Structure formats: C-alpha cells, structure tokens
Amino acid sequence: MGNTDRRKKLPVGIENFEEIRTEDFYYVDKTGMIRDLLERWGKVNLFTRPRRFGKSLNMSMLKAFFEVGRDKTVFDGLEILKEKELCDQYMGRFPVVSVSLKGVDGNDFASARAMICSAIGNEAMRFQFLLESGLLTDKEKKLYHQLTMVDETNQGNYIMPDSVLSGSLRMLAGLLQKHYNQKVIILIDEYDVPLAKASDRGYYRQMVTLVRSIFDQALKSNEYLYFAVLTSCLRVAKESVFTGLNNPKICSITTVRFDEYFGFTDAEVRTMLEYYGLENRYDAVKDWYDGYRFGNVDVYCPWDVINYCDELIDEPDMSPKDYWSNTSGNDVVRHFLEQMDNGLAKGDLETLIAGECVTKEIHEELTYDSLYDSVDHIWSVLFTTGYLTRRGKEDGKRFHLAIPNMEIRNIFTEQIMVMFKEKVRRDGETLREFCTALEKGDAKEVERLFHAYLNRTVSIRDTFVRKPWSRLRQTAIQQS
C-alpha cells in the first residue's frame, strides 16, 4: 500500500472547516455550495439531510467564508476561489451569527431552555468587542450585556428572561449590524434537535413555542438580516415553527439544487481511495456505504467512508462494519418494526430486507409530535432520516423506496433480532397457553395462538446478501 506517513490525516469526527484546512486533514471540496448559494439564495434557506452527511461541516465552511476577519488562506486551492468576482464581493464581508442546537438534550423543558440560552450566550461572547465599540450607545451595550449574563450561583449558566431569549438572535444581529454597518448572516445548525428531544420527553408544545418565538424575531421581518441558513434532519412542518415566515427556500433530499454537496459522490470516493492506496476496497465501500439518492445524485455516507478508510490504513484487510448506528440510537427502526402489529404489512418489510423496492406516499413536512401517529408517517420518517432511499418516483408524492446499502440492511436485521428475543422472553405466558391448549386438545385455541405467533415473525431472505449491492441497486432502479 505504500507509506502513508506523509499523507493527510482523515478528519474522523471533525466538523470545523478551518481546523480541517489548517491541521492538514483530508478535505473533500464542497465549496461550490457557496457559489450556488450566492447565485440563488433566499432570505431563509433550509437544508434537510440525514445525520452524518456533512451538514455541520458545510455550515462551518459558510462561516469561514463570509465572516469578517477570517483567514482567507484556508480556501487556497479550493473550487470557490475560481469565482473571483463572488469572492471579492462576499468573502470576509459579513458579521456572522452561528449557533448550533445539536447539543440541546434536556430531560425537561427547564434544562433544555437553559441549554439554548448557553448556545446563544456562548455565541454572543465571541463579540465582546461590542462593549468597546464607539458606534454603540451605552443603552445598546446594556442590551448586549443581557445576552451574556451568567448566574454565578447556578454553575455559571446564562440567564435570559423569556423576552430577552426570544429576541436574542435579532438583538445580536442588530448590534453587529450597527458596529459593522453591514447586514448579518445567521447560521442555525440542527435547529430541530430540541424539538425531537422535547417530543421524546414530553415538553414538545413548550419547546415549539420557544423556538417559534426566537425564529419569528430572528428570521421574520428582521431588518438586520442579510440571509439565514438553517439545517435539520427533518423538515418540520412550516405551521409549527415557521409561522408567518415568508416562503423559506427549502432544499430537501428530493431537491435537485445542492444535491451533490451533502455526502460523497462516487468520483470523490474513488479519489479518496486512490489517495490512500485503497483502490482494492472500492467494491466493499460501495456495497456498504453508497446507495443514497439526493436530488439527481447518488451519494455515499461520508461519516462511514472516512471511518472505514481510517481503519483500513492500519488494517488493510478489515471487513466493512456499521459506523452510522453507533452515532445515535435507531429508535425510528424500532418504531417501524413495532407497527407490524398495528397495520404495517409484514410483506413490505420482507421485501425491503431482500433488497427490493416498495412504493409508498411520502410527506416531507411533519411535526415531531405526530411522527408515529400512523404507519404512513413512519415511511416518511424512514425516508427523510436515511434508513430508506428512493429508487424512482411513480407519481405525485409516491416514491419507490429501498434500503440504501448493506450497513442499513444490517441495522434493520439486528433490530428485528433484538425485538424477536424480547418477544421470546415476553411470550412465556403465550407458550404456556399453547401447551395447555395442546394438553386439552383445544384445536381452535392452538390454531389461534400459532397463527398469532407466525404473524409476528419476519422472513429474512438472503437474496440481499448473495448479490453484489451495486448490481442489486441497478436492478431496483430498473424495476422502478
């Protein structure tokens, strides 16, 4: 394989664009996204993608490009520098407010609210120079102080009354706009994480009200805003969070625009493998981590490719493994499997596990408190979160869906086995009932119990495994 000592390090778990560029990590150039965004941006731009497809890294890239005072040399040799006019007009020209909500994981509303205060307060602390600004009045400096006040008696947490928290991003944008005499770009990464956690833990309505109040002031009729970019896993229904917001520009996994900027294309994966002398592992990487369809582009999960390549450098013969599920739970698959007793066709699951397609209606706009209200919603959740992908469109909102690759197929089968073992443990009483019915010669009861058990089991055919995944995927596309 050759000496890799002088080759760039692989950025395992690194989502900071400047760190990747300055610390000699391997970077797959996605800076063309900046050009496309500037040529067709809306006032509010929302990108929805499954987890681990590069959303946070792209947001960090945008911040590094637009923000005043950033080191421009981190873009040396990258695609965006070919756009000289755009770079002259936009690069390093804007104050940027950048907030990530991916860490908001409170067990109750009070703790989640405190985490949001911390996320915004920590961002406000980056701009302490505002306290010395000759362009701000004393009153405006007091407003800034409200964003950075901490409660020394409570672990140093930021303390913001509701009125301050609701207007915090707008207030910060206003102060920056006055200091720089330039409108502000607002970046909000993983905005839907607080909503997902709130739905799981019983304070969804309170969280929706809070997020809506912050967004209303920051994104709607904010005279200090140049434009905003948000990312999320799900496209949360407009009426639940973006009430009154004028037509946000939404780029989901079905949108052609920006389709190549989240995830790795086949050409990008081939180039990476060649760089590290791992060309002989291409088929394994493709079978396990390719298969996603965003817009009109087939992409690999970048988290998987980077992790697997990193391990292959030390262990060239290592078999592929599941990296994706280790980053968070697979509750959505569990919810899906539980619906087999509530209207989910067992045959649909068996078809998917075999590597074939099912055709279902997809709704990309959902609210977190209604995700599992019906089986129809669960198909949409599996699709938008990356557990299923599309192989074609029939009509309207109906898509041909398939499991993307071997990694996700293993997640399904492992969850099926976990649930099977749980049911066996729980079915001790059913087993006793079955034996009693046999002893009594109650044929009707024996038949009822036996059919009930069979209806809860899933046949896992091995056709998915026997075929190379790339060929299987082509077959599914042709069938669609």
Side-chain angles (χ1 to χ4, degrees), residues 209-446:
T209 299
L210 175 58
V211 172
R212 182 191 298 139
S213 68
I214 295 172
F215 283 13
D216 277 351
Q217 295 200 44
L219 307 177
K220 176 187 174 185
S221 302
N222 180 358
E223 65 269 34
Y224 313 120
L225 177 67
Y226 189 66
F227 67 73
V229 179
L230 292 81
T231 69
S232 67
C233 182
L234 289 186
R235 174 182 168 183
V236 179
K238 179 179 175 181
E239 59 270 18
S240 70
V241 174
F242 297 110
T243 303
L245 200 62
N246 292 327
N247 298 320
K249 188 180 288 288
I250 297 172
C251 296
S252 72
I253 56 177
T254 61
T255 307
V256 173
R257 193 181 308 163
F258 301 98
D259 53 8
E260 74 269 36
Y261 297 124
F262 298 87
F264 292 165
T265 65
D266 190 71
E268 290 166 344
V269 169
R270 285 184 182 273
T271 299
M272 179 186 290
L273 293 175
E274 289 170 6
Y275 179 82
Y276 291 103
L278 300 171
E279 301 96 322
N280 64 325
R281 305 304 293 167
Y282 170 77
D283 288 340
V285 172
K286 189 172 186 66
D287 287 350
W288 271 75
Y289 309 125
D290 188 19
Y292 299 93
R293 183 79 171 175
F294 295 165
N296 287 334
V297 174
D298 291 323
V299 295
Y300 296 67
C301 176
W303 171 256
D304 294 323
V305 175
I306 289 171
N307 274 276
Y308 186 44
C309 286
D310 186 59
E311 295 201 63
L312 282 174
I313 289 172
D314 296 320
E315 192 178 345
D317 296 325
M318 192 186 84
S319 298
K321 64 181 183 181
D322 171 18
Y323 299 99
W324 200 57
S325 67
N326 294 330
T327 63
S328 69
N330 294 299
D331 290 343
V332 62
V333 175
R334 188 175 183 83
H335 279 292
F336 176 72
L337 297 176
E338 287 171 348
Q339 294 299 317
M340 283 193 295
D341 292 328
N342 191 32
L344 172 68
K346 183 163 60 73
D348 285 338
L349 180 57
E350 293 173 345
T351 297
L352 290 169
I353 295 295
E356 299 166 8
C357 291
V358 298
T359 303
K360 300 294 175 182
E361 185 169 320
I362 295 299
H363 303 275
E364 292 190 71
E365 279 201 15
L366 297 169
T367 57
Y368 271 100
D369 61 341
S370 67
L371 292 186
Y372 305 117
D373 284 357
S374 73
V375 174
D376 292 338
H377 285 186
I378 292 180
W379 288 110
S380 300
V381 176
L382 288 167
F383 174 61
T384 55
T385 54
Y387 289 97
L388 297 178
T389 194
R390 66 187 178 95
R391 296 287 180 243
K393 186 175 181 180
E394 186 174 85
D395 60 76
K397 295 181 179 180
R398 291 178 64 80
F399 291 89
H400 303 298
L401 304 176
I403 292 175
N405 51 43
M406 286 294 298
E407 180 185 41
I408 304 301
R409 198 259 189 181
N410 278 10
I411 292 174
F412 273 92
T413 55
E414 286 172 6
Q415 286 293 309
I416 289 169
M417 292 308 299
V418 167
M419 293 190 68
F420 175 75
K421 291 174 183 177
E422 290 177 355
K423 285 181 178 180
V424 168
R425 285 194 296 269
R426 291 198 305 264
D427 277 358
E429 181 60 32
T430 301
L431 183 59
R432 284 191 291 272
E433 291 177 6
F434 185 77
C435 293
T436 300
L438 281 175
E439 290 176 0
K440 293 181 177 179
D442 188 344
K444 195 171 185 178
E445 182 66 2
V446 168

Side-chain angles (χ1 to χ4, degrees), residues 33-51:
M33 176 184 174
I34 300 170
R35 175 198 59 233
D36 292 358
L37 179 64
L38 288 172
E39 290 178 348
R40 302 192 69 178
W41 58 273
K43 199 69 173 181
V44 177
N45 309 272
L46 172 60
F47 294 94
T48 66
R49 292 294 188 278
R51 55 188 167 88

